[in-house]
Amino acid sequence: MYTSATKREPLVWFGITIFTIIFAAVYEYFSFGVYSNAMIFMFAFPLILGFLPSLLLALKKWQPLPRLWNDGVLVMTMGSMLTGILEIYGTDSYYTPWFFYIGMALLVIGALEIIFSRKQK
């Protein structure tokens, strides 16, 4: 089913991708030459896992990505942001890997939802 949400979703993910690029650039500009790979490549999560799949689904006129998939992408993006902030600050945390574990679990559940919703139709 092709809805207006399907058309809007790639634009939202593209906006989130641009925001993460700008956020990382500004944050690292004011970090006195300290860089973090987690911060530099933070944009990859919304681009690869959010924008591209939603664009493909919109072009095929299918339903938009499930909520759990979107939440998984956002959790992983925020985990990358937090990891980058802590690395630039010069510390780390035992809790930051949990963002990626939980994000991956949400992505798997969202992928299963996509697969099973396609088989029922």
Side-chain angles (χ1 to χ4, degrees):
M1 176 182 216
Y2 191 61
T3 63
S4 63
T6 308
K7 291 189 281 188
R8 229 180 23 240
E9 191 174 22
L11 294 175
V12 171
W13 280 115
F14 186 73
I16 292 170
T17 302
I18 296 300
F19 172 78
T20 56
I21 291 170
I22 292 170
F23 180 86
V26 169
Y27 198 91
E28 290 191 8
Y29 177 78
F30 291 107
S31 68
F32 303 107
V34 179
Y35 298 101
S36 167
N37 287 333
M39 185 71 76
I40 291 171
F41 297 111
M42 173 178 57
F43 75 93
F45 292 112
L47 177 67
I48 296 170
L49 298 174
F51 175 69
L52 295 178
S54 65
L55 184 63
L56 292 174
L57 291 176
L59 291 176
K60 292 191 180 253
K61 298 185 179 183
W62 287 347
Q63 291 182 355
L65 291 169
R67 174 70 187 260
L68 290 175
W69 179 276
N70 292 337
D71 292 344
V73 176
L74 292 175
V75 166
M76 293 178 80
T77 304
M78 292 299 108
S80 183
M81 180 185 294
L82 180 61
T83 302
I85 290 170
L86 292 176
E87 286 177 357
I88 289 172
Y89 183 70
T91 187
D92 61 352
S93 173
Y94 296 110
Y95 301 112
T96 53
W98 284 99
F99 281 93
F100 298 103
Y101 302 147
I102 293 170
M104 286 301 294
L106 290 170
L107 287 176
V108 168
I109 295 169
L112 291 174
E113 185 177 344
I114 292 170
I115 292 168
F116 289 123
S117 70
R118 302 279 183 259
K119 285 187 178 182
Q120 290 177 356
K121 293 180 180 181

